[in-house]
Amino acid sequence: MPKIEMPSGALVLLILRVLRSGPLHGYAIAQRIHVLSSEVLRVEEGSLYPALQKILLKGWVNADWGISETNRKVRFYRLTPEGVEQLEAELSGYDRVNEAIQSVLRTA
Amino acid sequence: MKQFFRRLQYLLNRRRLERELASDMEFHREMSQANGTFGNTLLLREEAREAWGWTWIDRLGQDLHYAARKLRQSPAFTVTAILMLALGIGVNVAAFGYFNLMVLRPLPVRDPVTLLHFQRRAPTNGADNFPYSEVAFFSQNARTLSAVLAVSFSRLKMDAEDKPLSATFVTPNYFTDLGASAAVGRLLNPDYDPTPSVVLSYGFWQSHFGSDAGVVGRLIHLNDKPATVIGVASREFSGLGSGTPDLWAAIQQQPYFIPGADMGGLQMWGRLRRDATPAIAEAELSSLAARLRQTDPQDVWEKETLPSEPGGFALTLRREMYPVLAIVGALGLLILGAACATLGSLMLARGVSREREIAIRISIGAGRARLMRQLFTESLVLASLGSVAGLVLGYLVQRSLMVWTDAPLWYNPLPDWRVTTFAMSLGFAAALFFGLAPSWQIARQRHRATKVRQVLISVQVAASCVLLIVAGLLSRALTHAANTPLGFEYEHVIALDPALEGYSPQQAAFYFDQLKSRLSRIPGVESTSMASNPPLGNRWSIGKTPVAGRIIDVHFNNVDSQFFETMRIPLLRGRSLKRGDTTQVVVSDSLARLQWPSEDPVGKEFSKGTVVGVSGNARLVSPEDSDAVEVYRLAQGDLLPQMVFLIRTSGPSETVLPAIKSVAKSIDPKLFPQAQLLKTAFSRKVAQAGYATMVAGVLGVLAMLLACLGIIGIVAWAVSQRTKEIGIRMALGAKPAHILGIVMRQFSVPVIGGLLLGIGGAAALSQILRQQLYGVSNLDPLAYAAAVGLFVLAAGVAALLPARRALRVDPMLALRYE
């Protein structure tokens, strides 16, 4: 399957979205996106962790220690209230843009 | 803002957070191992960390670490580079440090920023000095000033001492208002206390009383009048103005110590109230002066205004000082420029030897920008070390100059923030100059960048050439001064300054009459005269006067009728001044030629007077200024107490000197007549010029050595680059001269270009020097030729030393080379 490159803005949106249902560790975030996109989107380590660092810096998520399913000490990323706000804002923005694009694609 | 704090927090917990990130990524890799995705873990981690924006710190740390290691590896280069920079920066730091202390740094007194120094101006008059009545009136009535301080400088005789000491009479509020503290005893009270009392300066206390704390309460005699020592001012106390006197006393006691003194001649400072501005204070004082004039028309001028300048500094920058500042600054920067250019070529040459290292680093993935940043960091490290060494050198130079010139005790040459910033900025600018181009060249692996090298050579040559030419001009001026007639004869003249303090004009006239008749009885005295500005002395009155449509500096002098005869200045036309001449003037030939090129000047009007005679040109006061023109008026009236007596002797003046001194003293034992041979004064003047010449010469030779070092380096490099070519040429039978020509030819253009640039620069710069050259033209061909010749010679030798290696190239070895 051809690899699909994701714009970094979209990656942040996806990370925030998958974290809404609860805290996850880095690998789980990547897996979740992969699975939910029906294995179309693959998040590489090289883009996931820089994006996570950026989100940490912005204060949209916190990182806390937890135990993974393989019984290893690992950091879980949790959405902060600011993160929820940011997600809402990005989602509505994304919806508007998406609709606009769709309508252009349909009618042009 | 929050984001900034998170960023900061990250920086503080960096190690832990980086470990956590690493562990996250490790876990990720463990989990996804099945998928087989492997990457450069370090690189990935670094990319992730970059989001926090702190990676530059790591890189800087790496670069600094690496630079330090590289510099340690080649100590010879490092030491040379630091010494060069220290020299270039140190010269500038010493000059700037002095400027800072004098002009930029406020004096160590309370709240120096609010102090204003006042002057008096009227449409036709101007002075620094105030009469006491005016100062007292301002002090009582000025609302914009919280205090008025005034000082007057005098000389007094203490006990049986031979040499007079310097005393400053001050308003009693002087010490309290300036926030001074006493080392021992107390200082003057702001409420005037009529008991005669004096405060000693720290230096005087050390030198004359051996720092004895028991001096407080001791009775001393000043001009034979008893006075009590009440205390010693602290070592740091500077007072106002630039010098520190031996002692202070209240201004009200001036007539007590100096009978007849009128408490006049006061320098006046005011302390501005918080809500006032200098302009408001000036306006208030001007209107107060007008009010005082109604009751006291003698002391206040008509339409008097009182301009002010910041008063809390040792020196106020005046327009006349700009040329000197410009020349000192230019010479300093030239040295730094020469040092940087030499260092730049050394860096380039070093770049060649590091070719392999750089190539390896590029091939394992170092980016050019990264590489360049790293190389530039090396330059910055060198520059910082150089700045520090320069600061130390500058401090040492100032320290030794202080000892040598007997500077006041409060003068502290330890670098303050201004000097430190100055040195660091110079270092940074130098790094840009000597480091940026080479690092760019090296990082781009363009070693054959001859352009940069040639520009660097030109700069070195030009800078050292300018310095050498200036030194050449100064030394030419020096020999010229010693061999050229000044327009008057000084070998057999004694200048006697009786210092008639507190004398009225009548008393002074009587004194001089007595002196004249008593001196004429001494065998060996040929003729006597007097002048307000004695030849080769430290007094002058220069008036900006329109001459032939141009405003030029005219030297005014008040003399008596025998002056021209005594000084052996020829009268070319008309007559000398004589008793009763009030508005008549004698002008110098140079002035007459400027003003009336084709007419007879006698009878013409000049400077509110009628020309009665034309004298030969005599550069009396400033022999170094060939542009000087003179105007003489008759000495009379108020000027008499300031006159200096001139005595021509028939034999050697030295033998008559003691007799003259004792005569001058016998007329009034209270006086301290100062007598000196004009010969001595002249050699002192020449010695000053000699000192300047020496400094310029040392700087010039240093710059030349720097340039030679640079040339040696670059020729050696050129030879090593062309070994193969030279080998082939030799194998084909080229003659040694031909080979040398090939090696040297490529440097002839930049050297000649640099020489031309240097000559042009020197011609422009020396324009400012013109008035210091004792009549030598600032385009003096001999000075230029000598400097250029010396430089070419030195550069030739410097180039030949490494070039000889080209001749020793073995064709067979050269061809097999590489």
Side-chain angles (χ1 to χ4, degrees):
Chain A
M1 188 183 286
K3 218 161 93 178
I4 295 184
E5 284 284 329
M6 232 185 309
S8 72
L11 178 58
V12 170
L13 177 62
L14 292 184
I15 294 175
L16 291 176
R17 178 63 188 82
V18 297
L19 284 178
R20 187 153 74 172
S21 34
L24 292 173
H25 53 72
Y27 179 69
I29 295 174
Q31 280 304 100
R32 185 69 67 85
I33 293 174
H34 187 61
V35 170
L36 288 179
S37 66
S38 314
E39 307 203 346
V40 175
L41 298 174
R42 166 167 295 171
V43 185
E44 298 290 346
E45 212 183 336
S47 44
L48 173 64
Y49 287 93
L52 273 173
Q53 297 295 312
K54 194 178 140 201
I55 297 172
L56 273 173
L57 171 65
K58 296 276 184 195
W60 297 333
V61 300
N62 283 334
D64 306 303
W65 287 108
I67 302 295
S68 77
E69 50 274 33
T70 54
N71 240 349
R72 190 185 189 287
K73 219 179 137 204
V74 71
R75 283 200 302 184
F76 280 76
Y77 296 89
R78 180 199 310 276
L79 219 51
T80 62
E82 288 101 323
V84 176
E85 256 172 52
Q86 176 67 19
L87 176 61
E88 300 300 333
E90 283 201 18
L91 276 179
S92 72
Y94 177 79
D95 284 346
R96 288 223 326 271
V97 172
N98 196 26
E99 261 170 47
I101 293 174
Q102 290 296 335
S103 68
V104 171
L105 291 181
R106 271 196 305 271
T107 55
Chain B
M1 203 58 208
K2 264 188 186 163
Q3 195 170 324
F4 174 75
F5 279 122
R6 270 194 290 274
R7 211 175 273 240
L8 211 62
Q9 208 165 23
Y10 180 86
L11 180 66
L12 296 176
N13 299 312
R14 206 153 54 118
R15 298 245 173 272
R16 180 171 61 84
L17 291 167
E18 270 165 23
R19 257 201 322 275
E20 291 179 8
L21 175 64
S23 128
D24 273 8
M25 294 174 81
E26 204 178 308
F27 171 69
H28 190 115
R29 209 163 304 116
E30 279 167 20
M31 299 297 286
S32 55
Q33 217 162 28
N35 304 339
T37 46
F38 280 99
N40 181 341
T41 52
L42 270 175
L43 188 66
L44 285 175
R45 228 189 289 161
E46 206 173 291
E47 277 170 8
R49 278 207 310 259
E50 212 147 343
W52 295 97
W54 291 117
T55 27
W56 63 269
I57 286 197
D58 298 322
R59 300 227 171 110
L60 184 67
Q62 287 169 4
D63 284 350
L64 285 175
H65 192 75
Y66 186 75
R69 207 170 67 204
K70 271 327 253 193
L71 292 178
R72 260 205 311 274
Q73 273 172 8
S74 40
F77 166 79
T78 310
V79 169
T80 318
I82 291 176
L83 281 183
M84 278 184 190
L85 283 171
L87 185 73
I89 294 173
V91 168
N92 286 286
V93 162
F96 180 78
Y98 180 72
F99 179 75
N100 177 40
L101 270 177
M102 287 291 121
V103 179
L104 297 180
R105 190 148 87 179
L107 289 168
V109 296
R110 182 176 71 86
D111 215 358
V113 198
T114 56
L115 286 169
L116 293 176
H117 180 230
F118 287 96
Q119 285 164 344
R120 306 166 74 197
R121 289 278 176 279
T124 54
N125 250 333
D128 279 356
N129 295 339
F130 288 78
Y132 183 72
S133 60
E134 204 174 353
V135 171
F137 190 72
F138 290 150
S139 178
Q140 279 157 22
N141 295 296
R143 289 161 180 281
T144 51
L145 301 176
S146 62
V148 172
L149 310 173
V151 307
S152 158
F153 308 103
S154 298
R155 277 188 299 184
L156 298 175
K157 187 179 96 93
M158 187 174 79
D159 297 331
E161 293 229 0
D162 210 25
K163 251 183 74 183
L165 51 85
S166 62
T168 300
F169 290 99
V170 297
T171 46
N173 60 353
Y174 191 69
F175 292 100
T176 36
D177 191 78
L178 294 178
S181 59
V184 292
R186 64 173 179 88
L187 304 174
L188 293 179
N189 282 329
D191 304 311
Y192 172 58
D193 173 5
T195 351
S197 38
V198 297
V199 172
L200 305 181
S201 77
Y202 197 90
F204 186 67
W205 180 52
Q206 278 183 322
S207 61
H208 280 70
F209 295 94
S211 303
D212 172 18
V215 76
V216 176
R218 191 181 296 179
L219 209 63
I220 58 172
H221 288 82
L222 296 169
N223 281 5
D224 300 324
K225 305 285 187 330
T228 315
V229 175
I230 57 170
V232 178
S234 69
R235 189 188 169 89
E236 297 76 31
F237 180 65
S238 63
L240 296 172
S242 52
T244 308
D246 295 329
L247 55 82
W248 292 273
I251 179 71
Q252 287 87 344
Q253 287 163 6
Q254 192 190 29
Y256 167 73
F257 291 113
I258 306 170
D262 59 354
M263 312 199 290
L266 292 165
Q267 299 265 324
M268 189 176 90
W269 277 265
R271 192 178 283 285
L272 204 59
R273 271 193 204 284
R274 198 156 296 155
D275 46 359
T277 64
I280 296 177
E282 286 170 22
E284 193 202 9
L285 292 197
S286 300
S287 71
L288 282 178
R291 218 172 87 197
L292 180 63
R293 188 174 151 78
Q294 290 167 3
T295 54
D296 186 1
Q298 223 129 55
D299 281 346
V300 185
W301 296 331
E302 202 181 342
K303 292 188 189 150
E304 182 172 318
T305 55
L306 294 109
S308 71
E309 57 192 18
F313 301 90
L315 211 67
T316 307
L317 213 51
R318 299 247 163 85
R319 192 171 288 276
E320 307 87 270
M321 304 180 205
Y322 291 168
V324 181
L325 289 180
I327 216 142
V328 171
L331 292 183
L333 289 181
L334 277 174
I335 274 283
L336 184 59
C340 283
T342 311
L343 199 48
S345 356
L346 282 184
M347 296 284 276
L348 268 181
R350 203 166 120 85
V352 175
S353 61
R354 284 171 71 175
E355 199 165 335
R356 279 176 66 81
E357 173 208 332
I358 306 276
I360 290 171
R361 295 175 58 189
I362 288 180
S363 66
I364 59 172
R368 296 211 194 288
R370 182 80 180 77
L371 206 55
M372 191 176 144
R373 193 158 57 188
Q374 195 264 306
L375 289 167
F376 188 60
T377 308
E378 257 181 67
S379 305
L380 277 182
V381 169
L382 273 182
S384 323
L385 291 173
S387 296
V388 172
L391 274 175
V392 174
L393 185 71
Y395 172 76
L396 291 178
V397 168
Q398 284 189 76
R399 193 90 241 183
S400 42
L401 281 183
M402 265 181 70
V403 175
W404 189 71
T405 55
D406 213 9
L409 287 175
W410 60 267
Y411 188 123
N412 180 5
L414 261 186
D416 60 358
W417 65 268
R418 282 192 203 90
V419 179
T420 314
T421 317
F422 175 78
M424 290 300 159
S425 336
L426 271 192
F428 187 75
L432 283 181
F433 186 56
F434 75 76
L436 208 51
S439 22
W440 190 67
Q441 296 286 351
I442 295 167
R444 296 194 45 180
Q445 296 235 288
R446 281 179 38 188
H447 311 304
R448 279 142 199 88
T450 14
K451 268 269 147 47
V452 180
R453 284 161 199 280
Q454 290 181 337
V455 170
L456 286 175
I457 289 204
S458 295
V459 172
Q460 289 167 41
V461 170
S464 40
C465 201
V466 171
L467 284 164
L468 279 178
I469 290 175
V470 167
L473 280 174
L474 287 175
S475 65
R476 275 280 288 159
L478 209 57
T479 45
H480 189 76
N483 301 324
T484 314
L486 294 171
F488 61 95
E489 206 283 325
Y490 58 84
E491 289 280 342
H492 297 107
V493 180
I494 295 171
L496 174 75
D497 182 1
L500 301 179
E501 222 161 328
Y503 269 55
S504 70
Q506 290 77 24
Q507 286 170 314
F510 178 71
Y511 178 89
F512 281 122
D513 280 344
Q514 289 239 309
L515 187 62
K516 206 174 179 70
S517 68
R518 305 255 290 260
L519 285 179
S520 60
R521 267 178 263 144
I522 298 177
V525 170
E526 206 176 290
S527 68
T528 60
S529 166
M530 53 185 178
S532 56
N533 300 317
L536 305 168
N538 290 321
R539 295 195 205 160
W540 56 88
S541 0
I542 294 176
K544 303 243 177 239
T545 313
V547 173
R550 238 167 16 109
I551 304 281
I552 65 167
D553 289 346
V554 174
H555 289 251
F556 286 95
N557 207 344
N558 291 76
V559 300
D560 68 355
S561 49
Q562 285 96 52
F563 179 76
F564 298 103
E565 184 200 326
T566 306
M567 291 316 300
R568 298 274 191 270
I569 299 171
L571 269 175
L572 306 175
R573 280 173 169 282
R575 61 168 175 87
S576 171
L577 295 164
K578 63 170 194 271
R579 208 172 270 257
D581 281 348
T582 47
T583 60
Q584 284 79 348
V585 298
V586 168
V587 299
S588 70
D589 190 37
S590 50
L591 177 61
R593 280 175 199 278
L594 274 178
Q595 179 83 324
W596 307 280
S598 52
E599 295 168 77
D600 184 358
V602 175
K604 292 276 190 307
E605 296 289 308
F606 186 80
S607 178
K608 289 185 235 148
T610 314
V611 177
V612 294
V614 178
S615 69
N617 297 326
R619 300 194 304 270
L620 294 165
V621 180
S622 44
E624 63 277 7
D625 182 1
S626 59
D627 291 349
V629 296
E630 296 88 27
V631 172
Y632 303 92
R633 295 196 184 110
L634 193 72
Q636 52 201 338
D638 289 349
L639 283 170
L640 282 178
Q642 299 165 25
M643 284 294 148
V644 172
F645 222 66
L646 299 164
I647 301 129
R648 169 166 294 281
T649 59
S650 47
S653 317
E654 291 89 335
T655 51
V656 197
L657 194 61
I660 288 174
K661 264 190 187 165
S662 70
V663 165
K665 192 139 178 85
S666 68
I667 300 176
D668 181 350
K670 283 199 305 294
L671 295 175
F672 305 98
Q674 303 256 308
Q676 73 167 341
L677 308 176
L678 286 192
K679 232 174 4 190
T680 322
F682 181 72
S683 45
R684 195 175 308 141
K685 268 219 150 133
V686 172
Q688 280 168 10
Y691 182 66
T693 311
M694 198 184 77
V695 170
V698 167
L699 290 182
V701 169
L702 279 176
M704 188 178 78
L705 289 181
L706 282 175
C708 288
L709 257 179
I711 291 175
I712 290 181
I714 206 149
V715 174
W717 168 80
V719 170
S720 70
Q721 286 294 305
R722 300 176 72 172
T723 310
K724 208 166 178 176
E725 178 199 332
I726 292 168
I728 294 173
R729 284 176 188 270
M730 285 179 92
L732 294 176
K735 296 210 165 53
H738 185 69
I739 302 281
L740 274 184
I742 288 168
V743 175
M744 312 271 266
R745 195 174 306 143
Q746 55 176 321
F747 299 110
S748 56
V749 174
V751 167
I752 290 171
L755 280 177
L756 291 178
L757 202 66
I759 291 172
L765 190 64
S766 58
Q767 196 66 29
I768 312 171
L769 265 180
R770 217 156 48 94
Q771 295 195 336
Q772 311 291 330
L773 291 180
Y774 290 88
V776 173
S777 157
N778 68 316
L779 299 175
D780 182 65
L782 193 60
Y784 280 71
V788 170
L790 178 65
F791 186 84
V792 168
L793 195 71
V797 172
L800 269 180
L801 286 177
R804 276 184 321 171
R805 262 186 26 209
L807 299 181
R808 275 178 294 180
V809 168
D810 178 345
M812 284 319 289
L813 278 181
L815 290 174
R816 279 197 216 114
Y817 185 68
E818 282 174 5

